[in-house]
Amino acid sequence: MTNFTDNFTLRAHNTFGLEATARHWAEFRTVDELRTVIRDCHTRHLPWYVLSGGSNVILTGNFPGCVIHPTSDGITQLGPDLLRAEAGVVWDDLVAWTVDRGLGGLENLSFIPGLVGAAPVQNIGAYGAEAKDTIETVEYFDTERLETVRIPGAECAFGYRDSLFKGPLRGRAIVTAVEFRLTPEQTADGETSYTYNIGYGDLHDRVMSLGGPSLANVRAAVIAIRREKLPDPAVAGNAGSFFKNPVIPAAQAAQLRERYPEMPGYPSADGQTVKVPAAWLIDRAGWKGFRCGTVGVHPRQALVLINLGGATAQEILNLARRIIDDVDQKFGIRLSMEVNIL
């Protein structure tokens, strides 16, 4: 029988700092512990939800079932370029671990909040890199079969902030570990052979100002940029990037550039679509720095909605919908939210 904690406050477990309570709270470190939790949920007919780092979720009210939290935090190097990280590992601790050991592939994803278990679910990404680029295998617990399943990264249906775990396996799979295939920064004879991914935004200039490309410098540059642009949740509650960058047909992007020649965009490999920064659209529509009561848009990063103190989930969502409608009216582009709503 699981040792549930009843009437558990979730305020400290979501970076928006929203007030909410779980009827039950349960942590797991091993698959056997998780199996017991799920069996108890089945027996008691309790809905369950896995809350990882709480950095990409809006809690709209008290949860009537069991909120499950991973605490497993082991990192194991399985080979020269292969490692396994358990679901409860803090994501940025993993990135630091790989950079310290000269393993490339995750450095552009530095300083992203959350735990490893959420990385394949959301296919987290930043500065031209995504988790899918290095994920070799995802291990998850099937809550219907009550057993562990291993699935190759190539079969996870990864997309832009999307995966199999947000589609067919949503509500069934709980990620317990992820294996990453990385690239050594240097060869056995000490030569640097790694290709650094620093062409996105102002990352190149920042890396060069630190002395040139290296895993350590890329990580330092990404951390510095994120610290400058993103608010500390301890100061202003937020969930990081609230909106996805929209992908639109290339023809539509060309038409918009006739009106807004300064509009940035990133064409797809086949040239058929263009990813437009949502931050630019929101800023150009006049929302950057907007404040209304307890909610607002961050003055340095228009993608970030902030809790100015005492905000409710509904107030945050109302602001988000106002922004979505306004951007749609002005640019003909319908933004979608990146955060999960519980």
Side-chain angles (χ1 to χ4, degrees):
M1 184 68 70
T2 304
N3 184 21
F4 288 127
T5 301
D6 299 336
N7 299 317
F8 188 86
T9 178
L10 300 174
R11 181 174 182 179
H13 291 272
N14 74 101
T15 56
F16 255 122
L18 297 172
E19 296 281 2
T21 300
R23 179 181 176 186
H24 303 293
W25 170 271
E27 298 179 352
F28 74 91
R29 178 169 288 275
T30 67
V31 170
D32 285 343
E33 290 175 350
L34 177 57
R35 182 179 290 109
T36 299
V37 171
I38 295 300
R39 278 177 172 161
D40 286 352
C41 286
H42 289 339
T43 299
R44 302 186 192 189
H45 304 290
L46 291 172
W48 56 265
Y49 182 83
V50 177
L51 187 62
S52 188
S55 59
N56 196 45
V57 64
I58 290 183
L59 305 177
T60 58
N62 297 334
F63 189 69
C66 181
V67 171
I68 303 172
H69 179 70
T71 60
S72 50
D73 57 359
I75 302 174
T76 306
Q77 189 157 356
L78 304 175
D81 60 354
L82 183 66
L83 65 86
R84 169 191 170 91
E86 296 178 338
V89 174
V90 173
W91 175 261
D92 196 54
D93 289 352
L94 172 65
V95 179
W97 192 95
T98 63
V99 170
D100 288 346
R101 287 160 178 76
L103 295 172
L106 301 182
E107 63 279 358
N108 287 46
L109 307 181
S110 292
F111 217 53
I112 293 178
L115 306 183
V116 164
V121 178
Q122 189 73 4
N123 185 24
I124 59 173
Y127 298 100
E130 291 181 311
K132 71 174 180 61
D133 301 335
T134 55
I135 290 178
E136 180 84 358
T137 306
V138 177
E139 182 180 288
Y140 69 88
F141 183 76
D142 188 314
T143 59
E144 293 183 8
R145 294 158 53 187
L146 297 180
E147 62 184 33
T148 297
V149 178
R150 289 170 56 84
I151 180 172
E155 297 178 13
C156 289
F158 288 126
Y160 176 51
R161 305 299 175 267
D162 197 14
S163 72
L164 187 70
F165 307 101
K166 295 180 76 172
L169 290 180
R170 183 181 181 91
R172 175 170 176 168
I174 299 176
V175 175
T176 54
V178 184
E179 293 176 8
F180 298 87
R181 179 76 64 181
L182 303 175
T183 304
E185 184 176 23
Q186 295 182 337
T187 61
D189 58 7
E191 294 294 322
T192 299
S193 59
Y194 183 67
T195 301
Y196 302 97
N197 181 1
I198 58 174
Y200 194 95
D202 55 354
L203 184 56
H204 176 272
D205 291 344
R206 185 64 66 100
V207 168
M208 298 309 292
S209 73
L210 293 173
S214 71
L215 295 181
N217 285 350
V218 173
R219 173 168 165 75
V222 169
I223 290 174
I225 293 170
R226 291 182 69 89
R227 279 179 169 158
E228 290 170 4
K229 291 184 177 181
L230 301 175
D232 183 347
V235 177
N238 70 91
S241 297
F242 198 94
F243 302 97
K244 296 179 182 179
N245 291 322
V247 177
I248 64 175
Q252 182 182 5
Q255 291 175 347
L256 283 169
R257 281 209 177 94
E258 292 179 2
R259 295 166 53 198
Y260 309 102
E262 75 282 9
M263 184 185 78
Y266 302 93
S268 60
D270 61 10
Q272 297 299 305
T273 60
V274 175
K275 182 184 292 185
V276 179
W280 183 88
L281 295 167
I282 297 167
D283 187 2
R284 190 69 173 75
W287 288 95
K288 190 174 182 180
F290 174 85
R291 298 167 69 98
C292 180
T294 59
V295 296
V297 180
H298 195 261
R300 293 197 305 271
Q301 174 51 268
L303 270 183
V304 178
L305 304 190
I306 52 177
N307 179 354
L308 298 172
T312 66
Q314 193 57 56
E315 288 169 331
I316 295 168
L317 291 173
N318 286 344
L319 174 58
R321 288 168 183 136
R322 288 177 63 187
I323 293 171
I324 290 171
D325 289 343
D326 192 44
V327 168
D328 190 13
Q329 181 179 15
K330 291 175 177 174
F331 300 99
I333 297 176
R334 191 81 181 169
L335 297 179
S336 58
M337 291 184 278
E338 184 173 321
V339 296
N340 298 303
I341 300 174
L342 176 63

